[in-house]
């Protein structure tokens, strides 16, 4: 005989199946979005500070693209927000498309279809920006289009939640169950009742259970009154329960973030805001993550915004202000480079993102006495 059969035999207890004993259930944490957002938003915020400079023969020149790229790409976004969204979409979707509207606005496409050709420009059709779909097609030469080419990240993020979501959800459920308040309510059901009396008794019992639950949940000190026919008993403090440490949940989240960060090329210590080996981690971040992104961006903008004749005439696009090093920290190294005569001052300034000094002052080779040629031998006046 099953437990359910016992209740069915006793008609006075059958109505207890309708009582609500569980008020809330824990929701699963969406691990994929947590891990990916932690890393990609970090890179996006770094790249959001980017500034573009048009130069000719290493001297800054004015370009009509200066305002669009550095101040207001479109009516709804500042340059900071635009480039943050641009980089995030590039890495998350493995590609990003930016079109130029008829009123000279740069718009990031939310969806599109790319039709590829062998000998002609590819075409982008069904381009959707927000809720608007463009009826016309866009040629490759008329758009800004980048591919990230990280299939490993795409495959990993697709299976990330499937692999770890169930385990993480179970860990949360166990942790919540270990800290759960448990109790029972005894009901005096002697005698027989008609339907109205059973409904009234059911409502009173449900109301009593709800008040007990609310009292334990919201009050630091909870006193439960005893009522005739109703008896509540708590088991939480009477049974030995081994609480699962929340460190295990935290370690799992960090493990997932570390995996995504490693694929992107970001030292996980930077994501976790750890200061250990900060300089070396920042340098690795520049070389492994930011440098390839900047190179892709510069190549695409140069191909679309500078003509072949302008490029041959010395025009270039430079990227500045992306995790720029502190010049005061580099002062000693700069002094040695310049004072040794290995580089001109202007060469060092250009590397740091600054223009040449006026009147060709930065074109003079400097060399301190310590770096002068040694003639050898002692002079006649030496004693």
């Amino acid at each position: 005989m099953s437990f359910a059969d016992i209740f069915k035999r006793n008609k006075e207890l059958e109505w207890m199946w309708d009582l609500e004993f569980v008020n809330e259930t824990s929701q699963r944490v969406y691990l994929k979005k947590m891990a990916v957002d932690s890393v990609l938003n970090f890179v996006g915020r770094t790249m959001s500070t980017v500034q573009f400079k048009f130069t000719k023969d290493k001297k800054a020149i004015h370009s009509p693209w200066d305002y669009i790229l550095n101040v207001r790409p479109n009516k709804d976004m500042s340059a900071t927000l635009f480039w943050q969204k641009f980089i995030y979409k590039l890495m998350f979707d493995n590609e990003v498309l930016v079109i130029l509207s008829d009123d000279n606005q740069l718009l990031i496409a939310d969806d599109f279809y790319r039709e590829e050709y062998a000998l002609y420009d590819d075409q982008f059709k069904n381009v959707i920006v927000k809720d608007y779909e463009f009826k016309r097609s866009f040629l490759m030469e008329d758009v800004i289009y980048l591919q990230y080419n990280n299939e490993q990240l795409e495959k990993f993020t697709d299976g990330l939640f499937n692999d770890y979501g169930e385990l993480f959800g179970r860990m949360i459920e166990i942790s919540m169950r270990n800290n759960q308040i448990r109790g029972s309510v005894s009901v005096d059901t002697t005698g027989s009742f008609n339907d109205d009396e059973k409904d009234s008794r059911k409502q009173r019992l449900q109301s009593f259970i709800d008040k007990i639950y609310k009292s334990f949940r919201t009050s630091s000190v909870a006193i439960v009154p005893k009522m005739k026919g109703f008896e509540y008993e708590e088991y939480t403090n009477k049974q030995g329960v081994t609480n699962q440490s929340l460190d295990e949940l935290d370690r799992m989240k960090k493990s997932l973030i570390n995996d995504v960060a490693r694929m992107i090329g970001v030292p996980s210590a930077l994501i976790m805001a750890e200061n250990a080996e900060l300089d070396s981690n920042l340098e690795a971040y520049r070389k492994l993550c930011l440098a390839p992104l900047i190179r892709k961006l510069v190549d695409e903008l140069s191909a679309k915004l500078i003509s072949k004749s302008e490029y041959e005439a010395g025009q270039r696009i430079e990227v500045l202000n992306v995790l720029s090093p502190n010049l005061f920290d580099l002062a000693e190294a700069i002094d040695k480079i310049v004072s040794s005569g290995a580089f001109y001052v202007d060469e060092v300034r250009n590397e740091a993102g600054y223009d040449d000094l006026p009147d060709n002052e930065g074109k003079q080779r400097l060399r301190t006495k310590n770096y002068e040629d040694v003639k050898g031998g002692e002079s006649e006046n030496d004693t």
Side-chain angles (χ1 to χ4, degrees):
M1 182 179 295
S2 66
F3 184 72
D5 292 335
I6 297 177
F7 271 79
K8 289 180 179 179
R9 289 181 60 184
N10 191 337
K11 298 299 182 181
E12 303 302 331
L13 300 179
E14 187 176 358
W15 55 268
M16 292 186 65
W17 284 114
D18 298 329
L19 291 177
E20 298 176 7
F21 294 98
V22 180
N23 292 60
E24 290 185 355
T25 57
S26 60
Q27 295 181 351
R28 296 284 176 84
V29 177
Y30 191 40
L31 291 180
K32 174 181 176 179
K33 190 166 183 63
M34 176 209 66
V36 172
D37 281 0
S38 297
V39 180
L40 299 194
N41 279 329
F42 181 83
V43 180
R45 288 193 300 270
T46 305
M47 290 293 295
S48 68
T49 61
V50 65
Q51 288 185 340
F52 299 92
K53 183 173 72 171
F54 289 79
T55 64
K56 184 175 183 180
D57 297 329
K58 298 184 178 181
K59 295 182 179 179
I61 60 173
H62 171 72
S63 171
W65 289 100
D66 281 332
Y67 182 84
I68 298 177
L69 296 178
N70 296 317
V71 181
R72 202 75 180 178
N74 57 62
K75 295 179 179 179
D76 297 326
M77 289 185 180
S78 64
T80 300
L81 182 59
F82 178 88
W83 292 114
Q84 181 174 348
K85 180 180 178 181
F86 179 94
I87 295 298
Y88 183 98
K89 192 169 184 62
L90 170 63
M91 294 188 295
F92 187 81
D93 294 340
N94 206 34
E95 61 181 353
V96 61
L97 173 68
V98 176
I99 62 173
L100 182 66
S101 65
D102 295 334
D103 55 350
N104 293 329
Q105 294 189 73
L106 290 181
L107 304 174
I108 299 177
D110 295 313
D111 194 16
F112 59 89
Y113 169 72
R114 180 182 179 183
E115 194 170 281
E116 301 184 27
Y117 298 92
L119 302 178
Y120 302 97
D121 277 359
D122 290 351
Q123 291 189 21
F124 296 91
K125 301 179 178 180
N126 307 121
V127 178
I128 298 176
V129 177
K130 296 182 179 180
D131 295 328
Y132 179 78
E133 180 176 350
F134 287 84
K135 303 303 180 183
R136 63 188 179 96
S137 301
F138 297 85
L139 296 176
M140 176 65 79
E141 64 179 359
D142 298 326
V143 302
I144 297 172
Y145 177 75
L146 270 72
Q147 285 182 302
Y148 190 56
N149 296 329
N150 193 339
E151 296 181 0
Q152 187 179 12
L153 173 65
E154 185 177 11
K155 293 178 180 178
F156 177 78
T157 53
D158 286 343
L160 180 62
F161 183 67
N162 293 332
D163 292 339
Y164 292 95
E166 184 70 21
L167 176 60
F168 193 78
R170 290 293 181 89
M171 293 174 67
I172 292 178
E173 290 173 5
I174 293 173
S175 179
M176 295 181 68
R177 190 162 58 247
N178 287 340
N179 294 280
Q180 184 186 43
I181 296 176
R182 297 183 179 91
S184 65
V185 177
S186 299
V187 184
D188 183 6
T189 59
T190 59
S192 60
F193 305 94
N194 56 37
D195 292 340
D196 293 338
E197 290 175 332
K198 284 191 294 184
D199 290 341
S200 176
R201 193 173 184 83
K202 174 184 173 182
Q203 292 174 0
R204 286 190 296 152
L205 180 57
Q206 184 65 65
S207 177
F208 184 59
I209 293 174
D210 293 341
K211 289 180 180 180
I212 292 175
Y213 179 81
K214 182 178 180 182
S215 178
F216 282 127
R217 184 184 180 190
T218 60
S219 304
S220 58
V221 178
I223 300 176
V224 179
K226 287 189 175 182
M227 299 174 61
K228 185 177 181 180
F230 300 96
E231 183 178 351
Y232 171 80
E233 183 178 4
E234 184 178 338
Y235 303 112
T236 306
N237 296 326
K238 297 181 180 180
Q239 298 177 353
V241 178
T242 302
N243 291 330
Q244 180 194 33
S245 175
L246 294 179
D247 291 342
E248 296 181 14
L249 299 174
D250 190 53
R251 283 196 297 268
M252 175 172 282
K253 290 189 292 184
K254 287 183 178 180
S255 176
L256 297 175
I257 292 175
N258 289 343
D259 289 339
V260 177
R262 187 160 48 247
M263 294 177 188
I264 298 296
V266 182
S268 58
L270 297 179
I271 306 295
M272 306 300 179
E274 298 174 359
N275 293 325
E277 300 179 355
L278 180 61
D279 292 338
S280 60
N281 286 330
L282 288 175
E283 186 62 24
Y285 179 39
R286 290 190 186 96
K287 292 181 178 180
L288 300 178
C289 181
L290 297 181
L293 285 174
I294 292 174
R295 183 63 185 180
K296 285 176 180 287
L297 188 56
V298 169
D299 287 348
E300 179 67 7
L301 291 179
S302 298
K304 302 301 173 61
L305 305 184
I306 297 178
S307 65
K308 181 179 179 180
S309 59
E310 291 173 337
Y311 187 87
E312 292 176 346
Q315 287 195 27
R316 298 290 187 272
I317 297 178
E318 296 182 6
V319 170
L320 309 174
N321 204 33
V322 178
L323 205 65
S324 302
N326 191 333
L327 292 181
F328 294 100
D329 295 336
L330 301 176
E332 184 176 351
I334 293 174
D335 177 66
K336 289 183 178 180
I337 290 175
V338 174
S339 62
S340 65
F343 292 91
Y344 293 116
V345 174
D346 281 349
E347 291 177 313
V348 178
R349 288 177 59 85
N350 295 154
E351 190 68 22
Y354 294 89
D355 295 332
D356 294 346
L357 291 174
D359 302 326
N360 291 327
E361 292 181 8
K363 295 293 191 296
Q364 302 176 11
R365 189 178 297 277
L366 303 177
R367 181 179 294 176
T368 62
K369 187 174 183 180
N370 293 336
Y371 289 98
E372 291 181 352
D373 295 335
V374 179
K375 298 181 180 179
E378 296 180 354
S379 63
E380 295 179 356
N381 296 329
D382 291 339
T383 57

